[in-house]
Amino acid sequence: MPSKVCFVNARVDRFDYPCSVEGRLERILKKIDLKKYFSEDELVPIKMHLGNPGAHHTIRPNFVRLVVDQLKKIKAKPFVTDSVRLRAYEYLDAANRTGYNAMSLDAPVIIADGIFGLDSVKVKAGRILKELSIPSAIHDATSMMVLSHVKGHIDTGLAGAIKNLAMGCVTAVPRGCDWKEGGRGKMHFQMDEVMTWHEDLCTFCGICVRTCPLDAISIKGKSFLVDDKKCWRCGRCVRVCPEKALTVPQSVKRFSVSLAEAAKTVLSTFEKKKVFYVNFLFDIQPECDCMAVSDTPVVQDQGILLSDDVVAIDQASLDLIAKAQGLPQSKAAELKRKRYADILGALHEKDSRVQIKAAEKMGLGKSDYRLVEA
Ligand code: SF4
Ligand code: SF4
């Protein structure tokens, strides 16, 4: 039987709150019966990306508040969370500036691996990653609500719920360890690989220095240094370098499959049907929210998808985007055609389906789904 994916279309036809996206999201959340997934008094992490200075295309706080309200109506105890992306103190400030705080969301906003980003539990992973460290507030939770802003990603094409589970629910550097025992670095840099600096291409523009969340890069005169002890292999410097002067040997397939493996590892800490997903297809920009900028959307807003199947919801996201036309005045306009089966993949010369197929093969869900419009 296909998995059920509920859909709130971004288009509205009447100027009446029940017809608004918020109104229909509220209605569908009531209809889904969240009690099937979450219990009274259960502490429920609402896992999301909390923003980044310069990146303004994240999930709008009013939608997050709506999810919090519905969880509170069934007497669950939601809290909004993410693992460290920037150092935790700065990340909480970025979240606050984006509008994610206890006052606006009516729920605590906490960092899942603690203010030092060191609180995590090691969990056995699979063939590629071997072992991952899961932030304590996610590992110890008995259920989870995963809110994902769907957009592009340089290494995978589509970034949706699978990526949010995989990259977002692992710790960068666990207590007393280095990045090799975390998780995110292992996916980005694939074990022992190191970044290469190409002196002949570098213009010493300093963008990588400004982008590094850990101040691990320093440029002195014509010398370029990376502090190996500080660097947690997030790969941002590689992505932002306009001259391609920083490179990491990357196997695209291995990266996407390792995402599926990490998602499976995170889900192994929950009982079945205790994780629910909401994908927001608004401001579908070319790159990840970890970047210090937001670009114009590459296709029009599509709406919101809801499901308890992570594979089905990402497949449905990809399919909705495939039906949309590339927008003028966006990165999509640089492509030759208007329609693509995988426009986010085409923008980055990647195949977004690899992670979805790998996740399905690992038993995380079904790509066969039934769309139910709210
Ligand atoms: S961003 Fe690239 S070109 Fe600029 S300083 Fe860094 S390595 Fe050099
Ligand atoms: S990969 Fe680059 S940006 Fe990330 S921590 Fe290391 S030096 Fe900084």
Side-chain angles (χ1 to χ4, degrees):
M1 208 169 65
S3 292
K4 185 173 161 187
V5 179
C6 298
F7 176 44
V8 179
N9 197 318
R11 291 299 315 275
V12 292
D13 52 11
R14 289 173 72 168
F15 295 101
D16 191 13
Y17 178 79
C19 303
S20 69
V21 172
E22 267 186 70
R24 281 176 290 140
L25 176 61
E26 190 177 331
R27 195 162 70 235
I28 200 80
L29 283 168
K30 281 180 187 150
K31 208 166 156 191
I32 279 164
D33 188 11
L34 293 174
K35 281 192 202 142
K36 281 195 289 187
Y37 305 94
F38 310 104
S39 320
E40 197 171 323
D41 283 335
E42 191 174 25
L43 280 160
V44 180
I46 298 181
K47 165 68 186 75
M48 53 182 293
H49 196 297
L50 299 175
N52 199 38
H56 57 276
H57 281 162
T58 51
I59 300 168
R60 288 170 180 76
N62 49 328
F63 291 134
V64 185
R65 173 65 185 263
L66 217 144
V67 173
V68 168
D69 289 348
Q70 294 308 314
L71 284 167
K72 285 197 165 179
K73 275 194 180 140
I74 60 160
K75 298 195 168 31
K77 294 180 174 168
F79 63 94
V80 173
T81 196
D82 193 12
S83 55
V84 289
R85 307 260 185 176
L86 308 171
R87 286 189 187 105
Y89 194 81
E90 284 79 9
Y91 196 24
L92 284 171
D93 184 47
N96 200 17
R97 286 166 188 265
T98 311
Y100 304 138
N101 55 51
M103 195 179 280
S104 61
L105 303 180
D106 197 26
V109 179
I110 67 156
I111 298 297
D113 38 10
I115 196 71
F116 295 102
L118 298 171
D119 300 337
S120 58
V121 180
K122 286 188 179 174
V123 175
K124 192 171 175 301
R127 188 176 52 83
I128 303 173
L129 300 166
K130 317 283 187 234
E131 192 177 59
L132 287 172
S133 292
I134 314 279
S136 304
I138 291 171
H139 177 274
D140 296 343
T142 47
S143 63
M144 182 160 66
M145 178 72 94
V146 180
L147 308 189
S148 308
H149 171 217
V150 173
K151 67 270 171 190
H153 187 274
I154 194 169
D155 292 324
T156 59
L158 174 88
I162 294 172
K163 185 171 169 295
N164 194 2
L165 271 183
M167 278 288 171
C169 294
V170 297
T171 289
V173 182
R175 188 184 301 278
C177 303
D178 66 14
W179 65 274
K180 286 181 197 159
E181 292 175 70
R184 213 171 294 147
K186 273 203 276 197
M187 284 180 263
H188 279 134
F189 276 57
Q190 296 170 29
M191 314 311 274
D192 289 327
E193 289 164 353
V194 289
M195 185 163 64
T196 307
W197 174 61
H198 303 275
E199 188 175 359
D200 52 326
L201 297 175
C202 182
T203 58
F204 300 92
C205 66
I207 293 176
C208 56
V209 178
R210 289 194 288 282
T211 301
C212 177
L214 302 172
D215 303 321
I217 304 176
S218 53
I219 292 176
K220 286 195 186 103
K222 294 280 171 193
S223 81
F224 178 93
L225 296 166
V226 177
D227 185 333
D228 199 53
K229 284 207 175 99
K230 280 188 185 173
C231 171
W232 64 25
R233 269 69 172 173
C234 69
R236 287 180 203 191
C237 52
V238 177
R239 278 191 253 166
V240 299
C241 175
E243 311 300 333
K244 301 203 180 338
L246 295 170
T247 53
V248 183
Q250 182 70 276
S251 154
V252 174
K253 185 160 182 213
R254 192 177 155 175
F255 181 83
S256 290
V257 176
S258 71
L259 279 189
E261 191 180 298
K264 184 179 179 184
T265 310
V266 172
L267 288 178
S268 74
T269 69
F270 296 95
E271 286 181 10
K272 280 209 174 344
K273 299 289 174 198
K274 287 294 283 177
V275 181
F276 194 84
Y277 307 90
V278 188
N279 277 9
F280 292 83
L281 286 82
F282 290 99
D283 305 314
I284 306 166
Q285 61 178 17
E287 251 297 348
C288 175
D289 297 332
C290 285
M291 293 292 97
V293 295
S294 286
D295 198 356
T296 53
V298 293
V299 295
Q300 194 51 272
D301 291 346
Q302 298 299 306
I304 303 172
L305 293 168
L306 305 93
S307 182
D308 59 16
D309 183 327
V310 68
V311 176
I313 199 167
D314 273 5
Q315 182 66 55
S317 302
L318 200 59
D319 292 345
L320 280 175
I321 294 169
K323 285 186 202 146
Q325 280 196 23
L327 288 174
Q329 298 177 306
S330 78
K331 203 166 168 53
E334 293 167 16
L335 296 172
K336 291 200 176 73
R337 286 186 276 145
K338 278 197 172 157
R339 286 188 192 273
Y340 279 86
D342 174 14
I343 196 165
L344 295 172
L347 285 169
H348 299 294
E349 297 174 350
K350 304 286 167 0
D351 183 349
S352 301
R353 292 163 299 185
V354 177
Q355 55 177 311
I356 297 175
K357 281 184 191 158
E360 184 168 27
K361 209 169 158 194
M362 289 177 199
L364 306 195
K366 292 185 234 168
S367 56
D368 184 20
Y369 65 90
R370 181 170 56 96
L371 205 63
V372 180
E373 193 153 344

